[in-house]
Tab-separated table of all heavy atoms in Angstrom:
chain	number	residue	atom	x	y	z
A	44	SER	N	105.315	-121.856	-136.984
A	44	SER	CA	104.859	-122.948	-136.121
A	44	SER	C	105.675	-122.978	-134.818
A	44	SER	O	105.116	-123.180	-133.762
A	44	SER	CB	104.878	-124.252	-136.833
A	44	SER	OG	104.004	-124.277	-137.921
A	45	LEU	N	106.983	-122.856	-134.972
A	45	LEU	CA	107.906	-122.870	-133.842
A	45	LEU	C	107.553	-121.699	-132.876
A	45	LEU	O	107.394	-121.912	-131.648
A	45	LEU	CB	109.344	-122.795	-134.275
A	45	LEU	CG	110.411	-122.706	-133.233
A	45	LEU	CD1	110.391	-123.899	-132.300
A	45	LEU	CD2	111.796	-122.547	-133.858
A	46	ILE	N	107.456	-120.518	-133.404
A	46	ILE	CA	107.175	-119.327	-132.579
A	46	ILE	C	105.874	-119.465	-131.906
A	46	ILE	O	105.727	-119.246	-130.670
A	46	ILE	CB	107.266	-118.019	-133.457
A	46	ILE	CG1	108.711	-117.715	-133.767
A	46	ILE	CG2	106.541	-116.898	-132.721
A	46	ILE	CD1	108.892	-116.510	-134.613
A	47	ARG	N	104.839	-119.917	-132.628
A	47	ARG	CA	103.488	-119.993	-132.078
A	47	ARG	C	103.392	-121.156	-131.072
A	47	ARG	O	102.634	-121.052	-130.127
A	47	ARG	CB	102.459	-120.231	-133.192
A	47	ARG	CG	102.303	-118.945	-134.030
A	47	ARG	CD	101.436	-119.225	-135.259
A	47	ARG	NE	100.088	-119.526	-134.885
A	47	ARG	CZ	99.040	-118.699	-134.870
A	47	ARG	NH1	99.221	-117.439	-135.173
A	47	ARG	NH2	97.835	-119.067	-134.506
A	48	THR	N	104.188	-122.185	-131.209
A	48	THR	CA	104.228	-123.239	-130.166
A	48	THR	C	104.905	-122.756	-128.885
A	48	THR	O	104.348	-122.981	-127.810
A	48	THR	CB	104.911	-124.480	-130.698
A	48	THR	OG1	104.317	-124.867	-131.941
A	48	THR	CG2	104.868	-125.612	-129.741
A	49	ILE	N	105.968	-122.002	-129.031
A	49	ILE	CA	106.608	-121.445	-127.828
A	49	ILE	C	105.634	-120.492	-127.146
A	49	ILE	O	105.531	-120.467	-125.940
A	49	ILE	CB	107.931	-120.754	-128.193
A	49	ILE	CG1	108.953	-121.745	-128.669
A	49	ILE	CG2	108.489	-119.945	-126.966
A	49	ILE	CD1	110.247	-121.145	-129.272
A	50	ALA	N	104.871	-119.747	-127.934
A	50	ALA	CA	103.950	-118.723	-127.400
A	50	ALA	C	102.671	-119.368	-126.835
A	50	ALA	O	101.808	-118.614	-126.361
A	50	ALA	CB	103.631	-117.741	-128.503
A	51	GLY	N	102.526	-120.689	-126.943
A	51	GLY	CA	101.370	-121.327	-126.361
A	51	GLY	C	100.186	-121.374	-127.278
A	51	GLY	O	99.036	-121.633	-126.783
A	52	MET	N	100.374	-121.114	-128.530
A	52	MET	CA	99.222	-121.116	-129.474
A	52	MET	C	99.087	-122.476	-130.175
A	52	MET	O	98.010	-122.737	-130.776
A	52	MET	CB	99.389	-119.995	-130.472
A	52	MET	CG	99.431	-118.630	-129.738
A	52	MET	SD	100.045	-117.339	-130.790
A	52	MET	CE	98.496	-116.964	-131.610
A	53	HIS	N	100.055	-123.320	-130.146
A	53	HIS	CA	99.926	-124.712	-130.603
A	53	HIS	C	100.411	-125.586	-129.491
A	53	HIS	O	101.371	-125.201	-128.811
A	53	HIS	CB	100.806	-125.004	-131.827
A	53	HIS	CG	100.491	-124.214	-133.040
A	53	HIS	ND1	99.201	-124.095	-133.528
A	53	HIS	CD2	101.255	-123.514	-133.863
A	53	HIS	CE1	99.236	-123.307	-134.608
A	53	HIS	NE2	100.465	-122.965	-134.827
A	54	ARG	N	99.779	-126.718	-129.318
A	54	ARG	CA	100.255	-127.674	-128.310
A	54	ARG	C	101.172	-128.671	-128.986
A	54	ARG	O	100.727	-129.321	-129.921
A	54	ARG	CB	99.030	-128.363	-127.653
A	54	ARG	CG	99.346	-129.403	-126.614
A	54	ARG	CD	98.016	-130.009	-126.079
A	54	ARG	NE	97.449	-129.082	-125.165
A	54	ARG	CZ	97.688	-129.029	-123.885
A	54	ARG	NH1	98.621	-129.809	-123.358
A	54	ARG	NH2	97.081	-128.167	-123.114
A	55	PRO	N	102.395	-128.797	-128.519
A	55	PRO	CA	103.277	-129.773	-129.177
A	55	PRO	C	102.832	-131.254	-128.856
A	55	PRO	O	102.293	-131.479	-127.783
A	55	PRO	CB	104.641	-129.478	-128.570
A	55	PRO	CG	104.348	-128.834	-127.243
A	55	PRO	CD	103.060	-128.124	-127.389
A	56	LYS	N	103.128	-132.157	-129.736
A	56	LYS	CA	102.799	-133.537	-129.533
A	56	LYS	C	103.837	-134.154	-128.633
A	56	LYS	O	103.507	-135.075	-127.818
A	56	LYS	CB	102.729	-134.249	-130.895
A	56	LYS	CG	102.265	-135.680	-130.783
A	56	LYS	CD	101.576	-136.087	-132.046
A	56	LYS	CE	100.708	-137.333	-131.851
A	56	LYS	NZ	99.937	-137.625	-133.087
A	57	ARG	N	105.041	-133.692	-128.735
A	57	ARG	CA	106.153	-134.233	-127.970
A	57	ARG	C	107.146	-133.135	-127.752
A	57	ARG	O	107.236	-132.188	-128.508
A	57	ARG	CB	106.803	-135.365	-128.775
A	57	ARG	CG	107.761	-136.209	-127.973
A	57	ARG	CD	108.170	-137.436	-128.793
A	57	ARG	NE	109.030	-137.035	-129.927
A	57	ARG	CZ	110.374	-137.180	-129.980
A	57	ARG	NH1	110.992	-137.742	-128.936
A	57	ARG	NH2	111.030	-136.813	-131.020
A	58	GLY	N	107.945	-133.245	-126.682
A	58	GLY	CA	109.041	-132.355	-126.466
A	58	GLY	C	108.789	-131.376	-125.335
A	58	GLY	O	107.710	-131.311	-124.758
A	59	ARG	N	109.899	-130.671	-124.914
A	59	ARG	CA	109.791	-129.739	-123.835
A	59	ARG	C	110.152	-128.339	-124.239
A	59	ARG	O	110.957	-128.167	-125.177
A	59	ARG	CB	110.767	-130.199	-122.671
A	59	ARG	CG	110.437	-131.559	-122.165
A	59	ARG	CD	111.016	-131.805	-120.800
A	59	ARG	NE	112.449	-131.640	-120.717
A	59	ARG	CZ	113.141	-131.566	-119.557
A	59	ARG	NH1	112.493	-131.719	-118.389
A	59	ARG	NH2	114.439	-131.443	-119.575
A	60	ILE	N	109.605	-127.363	-123.601
A	60	ILE	CA	109.950	-125.958	-123.786
A	60	ILE	C	110.291	-125.445	-122.425
A	60	ILE	O	109.372	-125.211	-121.616
A	60	ILE	CB	108.809	-125.154	-124.404
A	60	ILE	CG1	108.411	-125.746	-125.749
A	60	ILE	CG2	109.212	-123.727	-124.581
A	60	ILE	CD1	107.080	-125.177	-126.338
A	61	LEU	N	111.540	-125.282	-122.147
A	61	LEU	CA	111.982	-124.882	-120.809
A	61	LEU	C	112.305	-123.399	-120.792
A	61	LEU	O	113.183	-122.926	-121.489
A	61	LEU	CB	113.243	-125.668	-120.386
A	61	LEU	CG	113.054	-127.188	-120.274
A	61	LEU	CD1	114.412	-127.874	-120.080
A	61	LEU	CD2	112.118	-127.537	-119.161
A	62	TYR	N	111.560	-122.651	-120.018
A	62	TYR	CA	111.793	-121.213	-119.837
A	62	TYR	C	112.300	-120.995	-118.409
A	62	TYR	O	111.619	-121.258	-117.449
A	62	TYR	CB	110.506	-120.419	-120.069
A	62	TYR	CG	110.712	-118.946	-119.968
A	62	TYR	CD1	111.486	-118.259	-120.927
A	62	TYR	CD2	110.199	-118.172	-118.903
A	62	TYR	CE1	111.714	-116.845	-120.846
A	62	TYR	CE2	110.417	-116.812	-118.819
A	62	TYR	CZ	111.154	-116.154	-119.797
A	62	TYR	OH	111.403	-114.805	-119.754
A	63	ARG	N	113.545	-120.621	-118.368
A	63	ARG	CA	114.238	-120.488	-117.050
A	63	ARG	C	114.008	-121.740	-116.220
A	63	ARG	O	113.718	-121.691	-115.027
A	63	ARG	CB	113.695	-119.270	-116.252
A	63	ARG	CG	113.900	-117.973	-117.057
A	63	ARG	CD	113.699	-116.741	-116.133
A	63	ARG	NE	113.739	-115.498	-116.781
A	63	ARG	CZ	114.880	-114.872	-117.235
A	63	ARG	NH1	116.046	-115.455	-117.054
A	63	ARG	NH2	114.812	-113.708	-117.848
A	64	GLY	N	114.107	-122.900	-116.915
A	64	GLY	CA	114.061	-124.169	-116.243
A	64	GLY	C	112.659	-124.734	-116.058
A	64	GLY	O	112.477	-125.920	-115.696
A	65	LEU	N	111.604	-123.921	-116.340
A	65	LEU	CA	110.229	-124.384	-116.148
A	65	LEU	C	109.671	-124.921	-117.466
A	65	LEU	O	109.814	-124.208	-118.507
A	65	LEU	CB	109.452	-123.163	-115.691
A	65	LEU	CG	108.004	-123.263	-115.310
A	65	LEU	CD1	107.864	-124.161	-114.061
A	65	LEU	CD2	107.469	-121.878	-115.069
A	66	ASP	N	109.083	-126.107	-117.477
A	66	ASP	CA	108.520	-126.649	-118.720
A	66	ASP	C	107.145	-126.024	-118.998
A	66	ASP	O	106.191	-126.367	-118.328
A	66	ASP	CB	108.461	-128.139	-118.664
A	66	ASP	CG	108.044	-128.783	-120.020
A	66	ASP	OD1	107.851	-128.012	-120.984
A	66	ASP	OD2	107.963	-129.997	-120.079
A	67	ILE	N	107.087	-125.184	-120.024
A	67	ILE	CA	105.876	-124.502	-120.337
A	67	ILE	C	105.150	-125.085	-121.579
A	67	ILE	O	104.201	-124.463	-122.067
A	67	ILE	CB	106.180	-122.972	-120.559
A	67	ILE	CG1	107.090	-122.759	-121.763
A	67	ILE	CG2	106.672	-122.330	-119.298
A	67	ILE	CD1	107.164	-121.353	-122.256
A	68	ALA	N	105.619	-126.182	-122.083
A	68	ALA	CA	104.985	-126.765	-123.261
A	68	ALA	C	103.536	-127.021	-122.955
A	68	ALA	O	103.166	-127.684	-121.952
A	68	ALA	CB	105.682	-128.102	-123.635
A	69	GLY	N	102.638	-126.587	-123.823
A	69	GLY	CA	101.204	-126.777	-123.626
A	69	GLY	C	100.529	-125.774	-122.765
A	69	GLY	O	99.303	-125.818	-122.619
A	70	TRP	N	101.293	-124.828	-122.206
A	70	TRP	CA	100.632	-123.807	-121.366
A	70	TRP	C	99.772	-122.909	-122.309
A	70	TRP	O	100.180	-122.666	-123.504
A	70	TRP	CB	101.696	-122.897	-120.725
A	70	TRP	CG	102.323	-123.448	-119.473
A	70	TRP	CD1	102.581	-124.768	-119.211
A	70	TRP	CD2	102.835	-122.649	-118.423
A	70	TRP	NE1	103.220	-124.843	-117.972
A	70	TRP	CE2	103.357	-123.595	-117.482
A	70	TRP	CE3	102.875	-121.299	-118.112
A	70	TRP	CZ2	103.951	-123.145	-116.298
A	70	TRP	CZ3	103.469	-120.890	-116.927
A	70	TRP	CH2	104.007	-121.784	-116.047
A	71	PRO	N	98.679	-122.322	-121.782
A	71	PRO	CA	97.899	-121.448	-122.606
A	71	PRO	C	98.714	-120.145	-122.780
A	71	PRO	O	99.489	-119.721	-121.998
A	71	PRO	CB	96.682	-121.189	-121.774
A	71	PRO	CG	97.013	-121.507	-120.360
A	71	PRO	CD	98.116	-122.577	-120.478
Side-chain angles (χ1 to χ4, degrees):
S44 297
L45 174 61
I46 286 179
R47 291 172 64 97
T48 304
I49 294 171
M52 300 167 81
H53 299 309
R54 179 180 284 274
K56 186 151 198 175
R57 192 172 70 103
R59 301 203 298 171
I60 301 169
L61 298 172
Y62 183 67
R63 301 194 186 284
L65 183 66
D66 188 359
I67 61 167
W70 280 32

